[in-house]
Structure formats: C-alpha cells, structure tokens
Amino acid sequence: QLPKNDGKVSLSAVEEGKDERPVSKLRPKKPMIASVEDSVLSVTQMLASKRGDAALVTGLNGGLAGIITDTDVTRRVVAKHLDPSGTGVSDVMTSNPTCVSMSDSAMDALATMVENHFRHLPVVDDCGAVVGLLDIAKCLNDAISKLEKAQDKSSSAAEDAVKQVANLQGADGAQAEMLTQLLGGLVSQAFGGKSSPTLRSLLAGKPATVVSPGTNLRDAGVVMAEARKAALVVDEGELVGIFGFKDMMSRAIAKELPLELTAVSTIMTPNPESVSPDTTVLEALQIMHDNRFLTLPVCEDDGSVIGLVGVMDLVYGSGGADGWRSIFDSAMDLADDGSEVSSMNSYGTSLSTRRQLPKNDGKVSLSAVEEGKDERPVSKLRPKKPMIASVE
C-alpha cells in the first residue's frame, strides 16, 4: 500500500517528464465499497445490482482493508465449498492490497498491474482514503479509444508507439508497417498477411477450460478456479456457451442458486462470438475493444475449440509491460477532449452477426470502412435481438 501520510516510499521515484503524469490521468472508476463486517453473499448482491466485478473492502476505521473480485468468489468460495451467506468477506478477500495514490506515476501504476497480473488496483488519496479503482481492461479500452480519436489527426505519436510494439515482437518491416496501419493509422482493415504472434501461438500447449452443458455450477467453478479462466461450454464438439467469473458471482451466488443442482447451461451466455486461432494479438485486442469483450473464445473454422484469451493474455502477447508502455504513453500524450470515456460495462458496436469471425479471405474487417459517413452500416444502430415465433 502506498499512502503518503505514513512515510512509505512511493510506487517509484517521481521522474521528470512523462513519468510525472499522475494516476488521475487514467481516470479511475468510482469504487464499489464493502465493509469487513459484510458477508460474501451481501457483497455479491451489491456488486450484481451495480454490475460491478470488484469491491474495495474498508475496515472499521474507514481505511482500505482489502479487495474482493468476481474471480475470488469462484476460487475462494465456490471451489472451496463455502457458504456465501455464512462466510465473511474478510475471510476470503485479498488483505492489504497494493494500491496507488492519485498523484503517483500513471505509467508505474500500469506497469505494476501488468507485471503482477493485477486486473484491479485500488486508488487512495494522500490521506489513505479510498477514492477509485483502476481496471486494466478499462485502461486499455480508454487508451485505444484515444488513439482512434487521433486517427483523423494522423497522430505521429500513435504511429511511433505501435512501431515500438512491432519492434518488440520482432516484426519485419512489412509487418511493422501493417501494425502501424492497425493501431497507428487505425485503418478499418486488418493485415493482409499473418503477423506474429497469433492466438494459436499464444494458446499453444494450454488446454481449454471446457465443460458440458449439463455440468453443475459447483463443478464448473472448480474447473474455472484451477485454470483461472472462464469456462467454455461445449456440446458434441461445438461451442454453445461461455460462463465467466462475473456470471458465477452475479447470476448464481448473488441469486442464491443451488450450485450442485443447477446446470451451467441455464445461466451461461449462449452462442458467444469466437475468432480464428490465426487472428493476431493486435487484431484480437481491437475486436475486444470494439465489442467491449473481456474474454474471447478461439475456435477453428470447423468449430473445434482451441481455447480462450483474456485481456491480460493479449497484453503479454504484445510485448508485456514494455510493449504496452508505448501505447499508454501515446494515449496520454494526446489532447484530452474532456469527453466521457465509455465504460467496459457498456455495450460496444457488434463486429459481426456471425458467431465466428473467420479470416477465410485473409482480411478481417474490424470496423466499417470510413469512405464517407453514408457508408456507416446498420449495425451502428445496434438492432435489438429479435423475438421469434413460428407460423404454426
């Protein structure tokens, strides 16, 4: 913990120049607060009602005592066969978590999250009071949104940043140019050829977290806890659903469903979109950004399941902290127009009506081709899901 009133050393020495940009530039989201006296059940119900995925837990003195996330609920409650209503949040939370203050270095905070695999990082003020929460997924989303806004301005800062990522990946000149087009110029069409790394290489040797539709929630939770991944629901070799940690917390625990008697198929997200394993890491990140996905199933063209990638997988696949430092660096350098940055909880534009986004023509469309405003597609209007009846 890094509050400044107790004399502890800051996250790192404040450096001159860019590293002086504070955590406040990342616009931490408003924290959802729980008390050490709350039960796990009451905390999950609070988070479910607010569509949150993590709560900061305060002690009796009001100071930060811990953090509990949707992943913790599955790993430390469901998989351990604990009763949510009879288990105190203080018994399963992460106590005394690493935190940063609003005035600490933003780049150091991001590096801390990436290097330590922290999805969330609490933010406190100079007196140690909880004031916000950094979410690495939201930070990435915000950074890409800023780079997209810079497209029309032909931002050289964005182009330079992606070239640095390309160099870290060992891309040759042609690949580096295409990477620059994707996130530097942010054109609407992806690479014509393959770029390293692909999701296939990222998932090589890593078994998929697969359950069947009839698997009960308890058993699904055990599988998810062991792999620290959402579960892919597969029926006769076909991907039919996805069941994540937030689903377990909000749709099962918060609603007090009987875990051993409830099949995962009853509360999973059915028919999720998937991508080809030949999709590049940067393409996958763009897809997740466009659709506000936190995870992305990966399937072969014949439907066979390869695995699942999350935000942190893509961060590491693109050069780790060093690679993404340049992206965040450029995003924070861009002029802030003061507009609200969309939340990861909002719904993004649908990339495709197909469940899979194959690369059968060698080019995956990441957004509408911007040759003129009139070419913006109907999908931009986000049609709602139809309710279907039969003529019979």
Side-chain angles (χ1 to χ4, degrees):
Q1 188 172 356
L2 305 169
K4 297 195 173 179
N5 62 332
D6 59 0
K8 289 187 178 180
V9 179
S10 177
L11 191 62
S12 70
V14 178
E15 299 175 356
E16 293 184 359
K18 291 183 177 181
D19 283 345
E20 290 186 359
R21 291 169 301 191
V23 165
S24 58
K25 289 280 284 184
L26 299 174
R27 289 190 280 188
K29 61 185 181 181
K30 183 178 179 180
M32 296 181 185
I33 306 296
S35 166
V36 289
E37 297 182 321
D38 291 337
S39 68
V40 170
L41 177 61
S42 66
V43 173
T44 61
Q45 290 173 337
M46 179 269 290
L47 289 172
S49 68
K50 297 181 179 181
R51 297 185 179 181
D53 53 21
L56 299 184
V57 184
T58 57
L60 299 179
N61 61 356
L64 180 64
I67 182 172
I68 185 168
T69 69
D70 51 5
T71 304
D72 297 330
V73 171
T74 295
R75 293 182 56 233
R76 300 173 183 174
V77 180
V78 175
K80 301 295 184 182
H81 294 256
L82 297 181
D83 175 13
S85 62
T87 302
V89 69
S90 59
D91 295 327
V92 295
M93 69 183 185
T94 297
S95 300
N96 302 314
T98 298
C99 61
V100 292
S101 76
M102 280 288 199
S103 57
D104 277 328
S105 163
M107 295 306 297
D108 285 346
L110 291 166
T112 295
M113 297 176 78
V114 174
E115 291 168 1
N116 293 281
H117 295 252
F118 293 160
R119 161 85 189 277
H120 303 94
L121 192 62
V123 182
V124 298
D125 63 17
D126 290 343
C127 295
V130 175
V131 293
L133 182 67
L134 286 176
D135 182 325
I136 191 66
K138 180 180 180 297
C139 290
L140 275 171
N141 186 66
D142 289 355
I144 294 175
S145 293
K146 281 194 173 184
L147 293 175
E148 285 182 326
K149 289 178 182 178
Q151 177 182 358
D152 294 337
K153 300 177 183 178
S154 299
S155 170
S156 59
E159 293 174 358
D160 290 343
V162 180
K163 285 179 180 177
Q164 291 178 38
V165 176
N167 291 334
L168 282 168
Q169 294 176 335
D172 60 26
Q175 290 173 332
E177 177 61 25
M178 288 186 286
L179 282 167
T180 302
Q181 287 181 348
L182 180 62
L183 285 180
L186 288 167
V187 295
S188 57
Q189 198 135 24
F191 317 142
K194 292 183 180 180
S195 175
S196 176
T198 63
L199 300 186
R200 189 185 300 279
S201 64
L202 210 62
L203 293 171
K206 298 179 181 178
T209 311
V210 173
V211 299
S212 68
T215 303
N216 69 54
L217 297 181
R218 179 80 69 187
D219 291 343
V222 171
V223 172
M224 293 162 63
E226 291 175 350
R228 298 197 180 194
K229 291 276 189 182
L232 297 174
V233 186
V234 177
D235 187 22
E236 296 182 352
E238 180 184 359
L239 178 66
V240 296
I242 185 171
F243 183 65
F245 295 104
K246 191 172 182 178
D247 300 328
M248 177 71 84
M249 180 186 73
S250 300
R251 300 176 185 177
I253 301 302
K255 294 185 177 180
E256 301 183 78
L257 296 182
L259 302 184
E260 284 84 359
L261 302 177
T262 306
V264 69
S265 60
T266 61
I267 60 172
M268 69 183 185
T269 298
N271 304 317
E273 290 187 355
S274 64
V275 294
S276 161
D278 295 321
T279 302
T280 67
V281 165
L282 289 180
E283 287 172 340
L285 183 72
Q286 186 71 39
I287 291 169
M288 293 176 75
H289 166 71
D290 289 345
N291 293 274
R292 303 300 190 265
F293 293 155
L294 294 179
T295 55
L296 197 58
V298 182
C299 299
E300 295 282 10
D301 291 341
D302 63 4
S304 57
V305 176
I306 300 298
L308 183 79
V309 292
V311 172
M312 296 304 291
D313 298 319
L314 300 183
V315 170
Y316 277 90
S318 301
D322 291 334
W324 283 106
R325 181 178 289 270
S326 58
I327 295 294
F328 286 120
D329 213 28
S330 297
M332 285 191 288
D333 276 346
L334 298 176
D336 192 343
D337 63 4
S339 63
E340 285 292 321
V341 176
S342 60
S343 166
M344 288 300 292
N345 291 328
S346 67
Y347 291 99
T349 301
S350 177
L351 188 72
S352 171
T353 56
R354 294 169 293 171
R355 193 173 68 229
Q356 186 173 14
L357 308 172
K359 301 177 65 178
N360 56 350
D361 59 355
K363 293 178 180 283
V364 177
S365 178
L366 298 184
S367 64
V369 178
E370 297 183 0
E371 293 181 354
K373 290 184 178 180
D374 286 344
E375 294 190 12
R376 291 173 296 188
V378 167
S379 60
K380 281 284 188 179
L381 299 175
R382 291 187 287 183
K384 62 184 181 181
K385 185 176 180 181
M387 298 181 184
I388 306 297
S390 169
V391 291
E392 298 177 348

